[in-house]
């Protein structure tokens, strides 16, 4: 597989010198969906922030419905047909119904009621394992109770710039009778194309991060969002098919990636684990993980008319730079 890229050149007259100047923009196409992405010269579009997240956490804590003492009273329960207790717990993680549903079956799962403040560098493998396990149990329970709902995804908006309306860190599950646009596009890709993409990245090496067992991790060739990573697991197509070993392995990979984001100065991320219906022949369960702008007053959103209205990524953090920053942590 040839990874498609094209160089564009912009010409302008420098306002300081009055001389002509040129800028190069690289346009890449995602090998799976064909989405295009613009890799810009480094312009400082994703600045690190010295915003005091811990103080903001304390300020937003009074009245937080996900904190201890309130989570049981203020969050909605699941219907008894999904779970007799109304909530699903795994370790410290607690999963409940999403008050603001996005689908027939919408869940919210906190890493822990006690973790109102949870910066990226402190999201451990254990916390991720428990939270993912709660979401997997939710997907399984929904599919058993409502066999039409076969499309499951596990997602995260972490911190306000990512779309999270509540500060308290959590994941979100969606299980529905129909796919989202991206789930549909990803399931239309052939098994051969997934194999060819991963083969190409393994061979080229510059964006390939490693294999944690069943999951292969790469930096996106044509990212939709900054510092975007992808992971693929052949042989399973839905989060509902993740067993305890695979949940722990996925949690390990996510913890490595979030630790790297923390080192790179990022505080906010989105994640989507795109499920297809279970036992989907040739579809590898896969995910996207990407950074969002840091939380601070008058911040610049990383999502512009290009991402929102043209469905086109534009990032000034080159994927190859992200891969070098992450280094060999997936190979240890
Ligand atoms: Zn809280």
């Amino acid at each position: 597989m040839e990874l498609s890229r094209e160089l564009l050149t912009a010409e302008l007259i420098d306002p300081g010198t009055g001389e002509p100047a040129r800028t190069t923009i690289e346009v890449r196409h995602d090998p799976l969906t064909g989405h295009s992405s613009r890799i810009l010269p480094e312009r400082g579009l994703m600045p690190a922030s010295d915003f005091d997240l811990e103080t903001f956490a304390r300020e937003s804590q009074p009245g937080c419905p996900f904190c201890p003492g309130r989570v049981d009273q203020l969050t909605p329960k699941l219907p008894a047909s999904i779970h007799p207790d109304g909530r699903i717990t795994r370790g410290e993680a607690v999963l409940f119904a999403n008050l603001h549903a996005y689908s027939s079956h919408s869940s919210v799962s906190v890493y822990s009621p006690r973790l109102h403040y949870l910066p990226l560098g402190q999201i451990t493998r254990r916390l991720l394992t428990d939270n993912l396990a709660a979401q997997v149990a939710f997907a399984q329970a929904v599919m058993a109770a409502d066999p039409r709902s076969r499309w499951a995804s596990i997602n995260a908006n972490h911190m306000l710039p990512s779309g999270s309306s509540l500060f308290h860190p959590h994941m979100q599950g969606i299980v529905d009778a129909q796919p989202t646009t991206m789930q549909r596009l990803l399931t239309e890709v052939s098994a051969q194309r997934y194999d060819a993409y991963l083969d190409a990245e393994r061979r080229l090496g510059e964006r390939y991060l490693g294999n944690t067992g069943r999951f292969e991790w790469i930096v996106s060739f044509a990212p939709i969002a900054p510092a975007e990573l992808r992971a693929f697991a052949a042989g399973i197509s839905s989060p509902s098919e993740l067993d305890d070993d695979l949940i722990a392995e996925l949690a390990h990979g996510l913890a490595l990636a979030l630790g790297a984001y923390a080192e790179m100065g990022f505080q906010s991320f989105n994640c989507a684990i795109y499920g297809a219906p279970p036992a989907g022949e040739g579809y590898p369960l896969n995910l996207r993980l990407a950074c969002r702008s840091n939380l601070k007053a008058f911040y610049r959103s990383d999502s512009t008319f290009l991402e929102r209205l043209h469905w086109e990524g534009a990032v000034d953090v080159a994927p190859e730079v992200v891969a070098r920053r992450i280094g060999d942590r997936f190979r240890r």
Side-chain angles (χ1 to χ4, degrees):
M1 173 185 282
E2 187 90 1
L3 300 182
S4 150
R5 53 173 95 190
E6 186 186 339
L7 284 180
L8 307 178
T9 304
E11 285 191 346
L12 51 80
I13 307 300
D14 187 300
T17 64
E19 298 293 322
R22 291 178 166 216
T23 304
T24 306
I25 300 131
E26 191 176 313
V27 178
R28 301 181 178 185
H29 291 94
D30 180 67
L32 299 177
T33 60
H35 276 83
S36 41
S37 179
R38 286 156 195 261
I39 313 300
L40 315 171
E42 161 72 59
R43 291 176 188 166
L45 293 180
M46 292 289 288
S49 167
D50 55 5
F51 184 83
D52 187 348
L53 210 55
E54 194 165 3
T55 297
F56 184 63
R58 269 197 301 277
E59 288 167 4
S60 64
Q61 190 155 20
C64 170
F66 297 170
C67 272
R70 286 185 287 266
V71 67
D72 289 339
Q73 281 77 45
L74 296 183
T75 60
K77 287 184 175 181
L78 301 167
S81 58
I82 307 295
H83 201 282
D85 300 336
R87 294 192 176 84
I88 297 172
T89 56
R90 291 288 183 279
E92 286 191 62
V94 183
L95 180 147
F96 40 88
N98 193 337
L99 185 61
H100 306 293
Y102 291 91
S103 59
S104 328
H105 305 280
S106 281
S107 71
V108 169
S109 53
V110 294
Y111 296 88
S112 166
R114 74 179 171 87
L115 292 171
H116 183 80
Y117 173 59
L118 182 60
L120 266 58
Q122 292 174 25
I123 306 183
T124 61
R125 177 180 174 165
R126 167 50 47 200
L127 291 171
L128 284 157
T129 298
D130 289 340
N131 206 339
L132 288 169
Q135 284 290 347
V136 168
F138 171 70
Q140 291 168 341
V142 169
M143 289 183 194
D146 174 12
R148 283 179 60 250
S149 289
R150 301 164 71 224
W151 294 86
S153 64
I154 303 175
N155 313 278
N157 299 326
H158 192 89
M159 295 290 123
L160 304 166
S162 69
S164 174
S165 56
L166 277 167
F167 183 90
H168 196 127
H170 56 278
M171 288 187 184
Q172 293 190 42
I174 286 181
V175 189
D176 225 339
Q178 51 184 315
T180 62
T181 305
M182 190 55 71
Q183 280 174 305
R184 177 174 55 75
L185 291 174
L186 287 167
T187 52
E188 287 168 1
V189 177
S190 71
Q192 291 77 12
R193 195 149 189 89
Y194 280 106
D195 288 345
Y197 178 32
L198 279 169
D199 283 348
E201 291 292 23
R202 258 189 244 101
R203 182 166 40 78
L204 293 164
E206 58 183 343
R207 286 170 302 273
Y208 184 72
L209 297 175
N211 183 331
T212 54
R214 282 276 286 284
F215 281 91
E216 302 225 60
W217 285 80
I218 58 174
V219 182
S220 284
F221 172 70
I224 292 173
E228 181 184 293
L229 310 188
R230 298 177 97 164
F232 300 86
I236 51 168
S237 54
S238 170
S240 66
E241 296 171 310
L242 289 167
D243 64 19
D244 287 350
D245 287 346
L246 282 172
I247 290 170
E249 185 194 327
L250 178 54
H252 169 61
L254 286 169
L256 290 177
L258 296 177
Y261 282 175
E263 270 186 31
M264 291 160 74
F266 296 119
Q267 302 159 340
S268 179
F269 69 92
N270 286 121
C271 179
I273 303 174
Y274 303 106
E281 194 76 15
Y283 178 79
L285 185 65
N286 66 95
L287 66 87
R288 270 200 182 87
L289 181 72
C291 293
R292 301 300 307 271
S293 303
N294 280 329
L295 186 57
K296 64 173 180 176
F298 309 115
Y299 77 99
R300 169 198 175 265
S301 170
D302 58 275
S303 187
T304 70
F305 67 83
L306 279 168
E307 287 83 4
R308 297 304 306 273
L309 304 182
H310 288 263
W311 294 8
E312 172 119 350
V315 299
D316 73 336
V317 189
E320 295 69 31
V321 172
V322 175
R324 284 199 293 277
R325 292 292 300 269
I326 292 175
D328 64 355
R329 65 182 80 209
F330 279 85
R331 298 174 206 264
R332 284 171 206 156

mmCIF file of all heavy atoms in Angstrom, residues 174-198:
data_model
loop_
_atom_site.group_PDB
_atom_site.id
_atom_site.type_symbol
_atom_site.label_atom_id
_atom_site.label_comp_id
_atom_site.label_asym_id
_atom_site.label_seq_id
_atom_site.Cartn_x
_atom_site.Cartn_y
_atom_site.Cartn_z
ATOM 1 N N ILE A 174 -21.862 4.019 24.261
ATOM 2 C CA ILE A 174 -23.035 4.126 23.386
ATOM 3 C C ILE A 174 -23.288 2.741 22.808
ATOM 4 O O ILE A 174 -22.365 2.107 22.285
ATOM 5 C CB ILE A 174 -22.779 5.144 22.242
ATOM 6 C CG1 ILE A 174 -22.810 6.578 22.767
ATOM 7 C CG2 ILE A 174 -23.788 4.948 21.111
ATOM 8 C CD1 ILE A 174 -22.578 7.632 21.685
ATOM 9 N N VAL A 175 -24.502 2.255 22.942
ATOM 10 C CA VAL A 175 -24.869 0.996 22.284
ATOM 11 C C VAL A 175 -26.188 1.263 21.564
ATOM 12 O O VAL A 175 -27.155 1.710 22.190
ATOM 13 C CB VAL A 175 -25.027 -0.168 23.284
ATOM 14 C CG1 VAL A 175 -25.184 -1.486 22.533
ATOM 15 C CG2 VAL A 175 -23.836 -0.250 24.237
ATOM 16 N N ASP A 176 -26.207 1.017 20.266
ATOM 17 C CA ASP A 176 -27.349 1.449 19.475
ATOM 18 C C ASP A 176 -27.635 0.467 18.346
ATOM 19 O O ASP A 176 -26.800 -0.379 18.008
ATOM 20 C CB ASP A 176 -27.039 2.832 18.880
ATOM 21 C CG ASP A 176 -28.218 3.788 19.018
ATOM 22 O OD1 ASP A 176 -29.348 3.301 19.183
ATOM 23 O OD2 ASP A 176 -27.988 5.002 18.965
ATOM 24 N N ALA A 177 -28.807 0.633 17.736
ATOM 25 C CA ALA A 177 -29.184 -0.225 16.608
ATOM 26 C C ALA A 177 -28.534 0.257 15.317
ATOM 27 O O ALA A 177 -28.574 -0.447 14.308
ATOM 28 C CB ALA A 177 -30.698 -0.242 16.448
ATOM 29 N N GLN A 178 -27.971 1.471 15.346
ATOM 30 C CA GLN A 178 -27.303 1.949 14.135
ATOM 31 C C GLN A 178 -25.949 2.547 14.462
ATOM 32 O O GLN A 178 -25.721 3.035 15.567
ATOM 33 C CB GLN A 178 -28.186 2.958 13.420
ATOM 34 C CG GLN A 178 -28.699 4.066 14.297
ATOM 35 C CD GLN A 178 -29.651 4.943 13.496
ATOM 36 O OE1 GLN A 178 -29.365 5.303 12.372
ATOM 37 N NE2 GLN A 178 -30.785 5.265 14.078
ATOM 38 N N PRO A 179 -25.032 2.497 13.481
ATOM 39 C CA PRO A 179 -23.683 3.001 13.726
ATOM 40 C C PRO A 179 -23.621 4.521 13.636
ATOM 41 O O PRO A 179 -24.502 5.149 13.040
ATOM 42 C CB PRO A 179 -22.876 2.390 12.571
ATOM 43 C CG PRO A 179 -23.865 2.252 11.448
ATOM 44 C CD PRO A 179 -25.182 1.937 12.117
ATOM 45 N N THR A 180 -22.576 5.115 14.212
ATOM 46 C CA THR A 180 -22.269 6.510 13.916
ATOM 47 C C THR A 180 -21.655 6.549 12.506
ATOM 48 O O THR A 180 -21.318 5.505 11.929
ATOM 49 C CB THR A 180 -21.237 7.084 14.909
ATOM 50 O OG1 THR A 180 -20.012 6.347 14.779
ATOM 51 C CG2 THR A 180 -21.737 7.012 16.341
ATOM 52 N N THR A 181 -21.482 7.741 11.991
ATOM 53 C CA THR A 181 -20.894 7.883 10.649
ATOM 54 C C THR A 181 -19.542 7.180 10.573
ATOM 55 O O THR A 181 -19.269 6.438 9.620
ATOM 56 C CB THR A 181 -20.717 9.380 10.318
ATOM 57 O OG1 THR A 181 -21.968 10.025 10.475
ATOM 58 C CG2 THR A 181 -20.207 9.578 8.899
ATOM 59 N N MET A 182 -18.684 7.406 11.577
ATOM 60 C CA MET A 182 -17.335 6.833 11.506
ATOM 61 C C MET A 182 -17.362 5.311 11.691
ATOM 62 O O MET A 182 -16.600 4.587 11.038
ATOM 63 C CB MET A 182 -16.414 7.491 12.542
ATOM 64 C CG MET A 182 -14.949 7.137 12.400
ATOM 65 S SD MET A 182 -14.243 7.475 10.758
ATOM 66 C CE MET A 182 -14.186 9.270 10.770
ATOM 67 N N GLN A 183 -18.244 4.814 12.559
ATOM 68 C CA GLN A 183 -18.376 3.342 12.670
ATOM 69 C C GLN A 183 -18.766 2.749 11.315
ATOM 70 O O GLN A 183 -18.223 1.735 10.887
ATOM 71 C CB GLN A 183 -19.443 2.972 13.715
ATOM 72 C CG GLN A 183 -18.947 3.052 15.154
ATOM 73 C CD GLN A 183 -20.079 2.823 16.140
ATOM 74 O OE1 GLN A 183 -21.100 3.504 16.103
ATOM 75 N NE2 GLN A 183 -19.909 1.867 17.031
ATOM 76 N N ARG A 184 -19.717 3.399 10.643
ATOM 77 C CA ARG A 184 -20.155 2.891 9.337
ATOM 78 C C ARG A 184 -19.002 2.916 8.334
ATOM 79 O O ARG A 184 -18.729 1.927 7.652
ATOM 80 C CB ARG A 184 -21.343 3.734 8.819
ATOM 81 C CG ARG A 184 -21.814 3.335 7.437
ATOM 82 C CD ARG A 184 -23.087 4.088 7.032
ATOM 83 N NE ARG A 184 -22.966 5.538 7.100
ATOM 84 C CZ ARG A 184 -22.298 6.286 6.216
ATOM 85 N NH1 ARG A 184 -21.691 5.716 5.195
ATOM 86 N NH2 ARG A 184 -22.241 7.596 6.365
ATOM 87 N N LEU A 185 -18.285 4.046 8.270
ATOM 88 C CA LEU A 185 -17.182 4.148 7.310
ATOM 89 C C LEU A 185 -16.110 3.090 7.591
ATOM 90 O O LEU A 185 -15.569 2.485 6.668
ATOM 91 C CB LEU A 185 -16.551 5.556 7.371
ATOM 92 C CG LEU A 185 -17.430 6.690 6.859
ATOM 93 C CD1 LEU A 185 -16.754 8.037 7.118
ATOM 94 C CD2 LEU A 185 -17.719 6.525 5.370
ATOM 95 N N LEU A 186 -15.822 2.868 8.868
ATOM 96 C CA LEU A 186 -14.757 1.913 9.212
ATOM 97 C C LEU A 186 -15.157 0.472 8.912
ATOM 98 O O LEU A 186 -14.308 -0.357 8.588
ATOM 99 C CB LEU A 186 -14.360 2.072 10.688
ATOM 100 C CG LEU A 186 -13.555 3.335 10.995
ATOM 101 C CD1 LEU A 186 -13.487 3.570 12.504
ATOM 102 C CD2 LEU A 186 -12.145 3.259 10.408
ATOM 103 N N THR A 187 -16.461 0.176 9.026
ATOM 104 C CA THR A 187 -16.870 -1.202 8.733
ATOM 105 C C THR A 187 -16.985 -1.444 7.234
ATOM 106 O O THR A 187 -17.072 -2.592 6.798
ATOM 107 C CB THR A 187 -18.221 -1.569 9.392
ATOM 108 O OG1 THR A 187 -19.181 -0.581 9.050
ATOM 109 C CG2 THR A 187 -18.086 -1.655 10.888
ATOM 110 N N GLU A 188 -16.971 -0.368 6.443
ATOM 111 C CA GLU A 188 -17.004 -0.543 4.984
ATOM 112 C C GLU A 188 -15.620 -0.835 4.409
ATOM 113 O O GLU A 188 -15.480 -1.118 3.226
ATOM 114 C CB GLU A 188 -17.604 0.712 4.315
ATOM 115 C CG GLU A 188 -19.109 0.824 4.535
ATOM 116 C CD GLU A 188 -19.696 2.185 4.157
ATOM 117 O OE1 GLU A 188 -18.937 3.067 3.687
ATOM 118 O OE2 GLU A 188 -20.906 2.364 4.352
ATOM 119 N N VAL A 189 -14.581 -0.752 5.257
ATOM 120 C CA VAL A 189 -13.204 -1.012 4.804
ATOM 121 C C VAL A 189 -12.965 -2.526 4.804
ATOM 122 O O VAL A 189 -13.376 -3.228 5.729
ATOM 123 C CB VAL A 189 -12.206 -0.309 5.755
ATOM 124 C CG1 VAL A 189 -10.769 -0.608 5.365
ATOM 125 C CG2 VAL A 189 -12.473 1.190 5.784
ATOM 126 N N SER A 190 -12.296 -3.024 3.775
ATOM 127 C CA SER A 190 -12.068 -4.475 3.689
ATOM 128 C C SER A 190 -10.975 -4.925 4.671
ATOM 129 O O SER A 190 -10.104 -4.131 5.050
ATOM 130 C CB SER A 190 -11.655 -4.865 2.269
ATOM 131 O OG SER A 190 -10.344 -4.396 2.011
ATOM 132 N N ALA A 191 -11.039 -6.211 5.048
ATOM 133 C CA ALA A 191 -10.011 -6.775 5.927
ATOM 134 C C ALA A 191 -8.631 -6.643 5.285
ATOM 135 O O ALA A 191 -7.637 -6.367 5.969
ATOM 136 C CB ALA A 191 -10.334 -8.246 6.213
ATOM 137 N N GLN A 192 -8.562 -6.822 3.980
ATOM 138 C CA GLN A 192 -7.283 -6.714 3.270
ATOM 139 C C GLN A 192 -6.690 -5.311 3.410
ATOM 140 O O GLN A 192 -5.482 -5.147 3.533
ATOM 141 C CB GLN A 192 -7.468 -7.027 1.769
ATOM 142 C CG GLN A 192 -7.804 -8.475 1.455
ATOM 143 C CD GLN A 192 -9.270 -8.815 1.758
ATOM 144 O OE1 GLN A 192 -10.103 -7.942 2.002
ATOM 145 N NE2 GLN A 192 -9.585 -10.105 1.757
ATOM 146 N N ARG A 193 -7.555 -4.308 3.397
ATOM 147 C CA ARG A 193 -7.064 -2.923 3.482
ATOM 148 C C ARG A 193 -6.498 -2.651 4.888
ATOM 149 O O ARG A 193 -5.481 -1.981 5.025
ATOM 150 C CB ARG A 193 -8.211 -1.965 3.142
ATOM 151 C CG ARG A 193 -7.769 -0.585 2.852
ATOM 152 C CD ARG A 193 -8.614 0.191 1.857
ATOM 153 N NE ARG A 193 -7.920 1.442 1.535
ATOM 154 C CZ ARG A 193 -7.039 1.568 0.564
ATOM 155 N NH1 ARG A 193 -6.764 0.550 -0.225
ATOM 156 N NH2 ARG A 193 -6.415 2.717 0.368
ATOM 157 N N TYR A 194 -7.188 -3.159 5.919
ATOM 158 C CA TYR A 194 -6.634 -3.017 7.273
ATOM 159 C C TYR A 194 -5.258 -3.686 7.346
ATOM 160 O O TYR A 194 -4.298 -3.126 7.881
ATOM 161 C CB TYR A 194 -7.575 -3.651 8.310
ATOM 162 C CG TYR A 194 -8.744 -2.789 8.698
ATOM 163 C CD1 TYR A 194 -10.024 -3.070 8.236
ATOM 164 C CD2 TYR A 194 -8.573 -1.690 9.533
ATOM 165 C CE1 TYR A 194 -11.112 -2.276 8.592
ATOM 166 C CE2 TYR A 194 -9.650 -0.889 9.893
ATOM 167 C CZ TYR A 194 -10.920 -1.190 9.418
ATOM 168 O OH TYR A 194 -11.983 -0.402 9.768
ATOM 169 N N ASP A 195 -5.154 -4.893 6.816
ATOM 170 C CA ASP A 195 -3.871 -5.614 6.854
ATOM 171 C C ASP A 195 -2.794 -4.839 6.117
ATOM 172 O O ASP A 195 -1.658 -4.710 6.586
ATOM 173 C CB ASP A 195 -4.017 -7.006 6.209
ATOM 174 C CG ASP A 195 -4.828 -7.949 7.090
ATOM 175 O OD1 ASP A 195 -5.017 -7.624 8.277
ATOM 176 O OD2 ASP A 195 -5.270 -9.002 6.582
ATOM 177 N N ALA A 196 -3.149 -4.322 4.928
ATOM 178 C CA ALA A 196 -2.156 -3.624 4.106
ATOM 179 C C ALA A 196 -1.674 -2.349 4.804
ATOM 180 O O ALA A 196 -0.492 -2.007 4.761
ATOM 181 C CB ALA A 196 -2.765 -3.297 2.742
ATOM 182 N N TYR A 197 -2.597 -1.642 5.486
ATOM 183 C CA TYR A 197 -2.225 -0.413 6.201
ATOM 184 C C TYR A 197 -1.236 -0.744 7.325
ATOM 185 O O TYR A 197 -0.168 -0.115 7.450
ATOM 186 C CB TYR A 197 -3.486 0.251 6.743
ATOM 187 C CG TYR A 197 -3.273 1.526 7.549
ATOM 188 C CD1 TYR A 197 -2.233 2.410 7.276
ATOM 189 C CD2 TYR A 197 -4.145 1.859 8.584
ATOM 190 C CE1 TYR A 197 -2.063 3.575 8.013
ATOM 191 C CE2 TYR A 197 -3.993 3.028 9.327
ATOM 192 C CZ TYR A 197 -2.945 3.878 9.041
ATOM 193 O OH TYR A 197 -2.785 5.031 9.773
ATOM 194 N N LEU A 198 -1.582 -1.762 8.118
ATOM 195 C CA LEU A 198 -0.695 -2.113 9.234
ATOM 196 C C LEU A 198 0.644 -2.654 8.722
ATOM 197 O O LEU A 198 1.704 -2.339 9.286
ATOM 198 C CB LEU A 198 -1.376 -3.134 10.150
ATOM 199 C CG LEU A 198 -2.370 -2.505 11.130
ATOM 200 C CD1 LEU A 198 -3.206 -3.574 11.824
ATOM 201 C CD2 LEU A 198 -1.632 -1.668 12.176
#
